[in-house]
Amino acid sequence: MNSLPLRFPAILAGVLICLMSPASPAAELRALEVDRDTEINQYSLRSVTWFNASPEAMYKVLTDYDLFYKFTSAIVESRNTEQDEAGRPGYYTRMEGCVLMWCRSFIRIGHLTLDPSARIVANADPELSNFKKSRESWSLTKEGDGTLLVYEFEMVPDFWVPPVIGPFYIKRALQSGGEKAADRIEALAQANETADD
């Protein structure tokens, strides 16, 4: 009972700091497209998002696979791995997802092709992954005080997908996951900028 008066000044100070801090605009999703090519069973996603963070800070976050589990709850484990025989940095992610009562764990292991602060391409090795194809790319361009990020993802699953309802759930998960991840990625990039100052 006596702890409330002692904690009140600290709580009040925290509220005042929040009110006086300039509001930083949230990530602005400008475009999001999700598609499926039924002939080859390929799912694709393309998004265009403006982030209130520098290309350098965004690049630092997007090449740090140790952080990827913070982007979305679908990724339950992620990390950077050793370089491959060509000297390219490696990555590992394990995702979990459910369609109705059907739940599955998916692994992607691959390498990164990097153009510092401008472009990142992640290709999964189909022999080590649960995907016949999994390719992601992030293109970063400075726009105003922030970064315009064009993200493209293509994947062909190497696992059984329940017919009819499965493709619907995959497309919906890609769309909602992309929308939710933007603010989390931006917060991590802004934290990097603050730490570098």
Side-chain angles (χ1 to χ4, degrees), residues 2-190:
N2 291 337
S3 63
L4 183 59
L6 293 175
R7 290 176 50 208
F8 184 75
I11 294 169
L12 181 61
V15 170
L16 288 174
I17 288 169
C18 289
L19 291 174
M20 293 186 321
S21 299
S24 57
E28 176 191 332
L29 182 64
R30 296 185 179 172
L32 177 64
E33 302 164 16
V34 180
D35 199 14
R36 178 180 178 230
D37 183 334
T38 55
E39 286 187 26
I40 58 173
N41 197 31
Q42 176 172 288
Y43 297 84
S44 60
L45 179 148
R46 182 179 188 275
S47 67
V48 179
T49 310
W50 183 85
F51 291 90
N52 186 29
S54 69
E56 294 77 17
M58 293 293 298
Y59 179 86
K60 191 173 179 180
V61 167
L62 294 170
T63 54
D64 187 351
Y65 273 75
D66 292 343
L67 297 175
F68 271 47
Y69 74 95
K70 295 182 177 182
F71 297 177
T72 170
S73 59
I75 297 176
V76 295
E77 187 181 357
S78 59
R79 63 180 173 270
N80 292 84
T81 60
E82 294 181 9
Q83 294 181 347
D84 66 8
E85 62 281 350
R88 299 172 297 195
Y91 70 91
Y92 168 92
T93 61
R94 182 171 63 85
M95 298 159 286
E96 291 181 354
C98 293
V99 175
L100 300 177
M101 301 298 289
W102 178 77
C103 294
R104 180 87 198 244
S105 183
F106 314 99
I107 291 175
R108 287 187 301 172
I109 298 173
H111 66 269
L112 303 174
T113 304
L114 306 173
D115 180 1
S117 299
R119 187 167 167 79
I120 304 158
V121 178
N123 281 298
D125 183 339
E127 292 182 13
L128 303 173
S129 306
N130 296 116
F131 299 88
K132 294 176 183 173
K133 174 184 181 181
S134 176
R135 181 182 189 278
E136 295 176 279
S137 70
W138 298 263
S139 298
L140 304 133
T141 308
K142 184 167 178 56
E143 183 181 291
D145 293 332
T147 302
L148 189 67
L149 173 69
V150 177
Y151 171 71
E152 296 176 305
F153 175 54
E154 295 175 341
M155 70 104 163
V156 177
D158 193 16
F159 49 84
W160 180 76
V161 175
V164 184
I165 196 73
F168 167 77
Y169 271 93
I170 289 175
K171 287 177 68 174
R172 193 176 80 169
L174 287 172
Q175 183 168 353
S176 64
E179 292 169 348
K180 292 175 184 174
D183 288 336
R184 296 172 186 169
I185 292 169
E186 182 179 65
L188 290 167
Q190 289 174 346

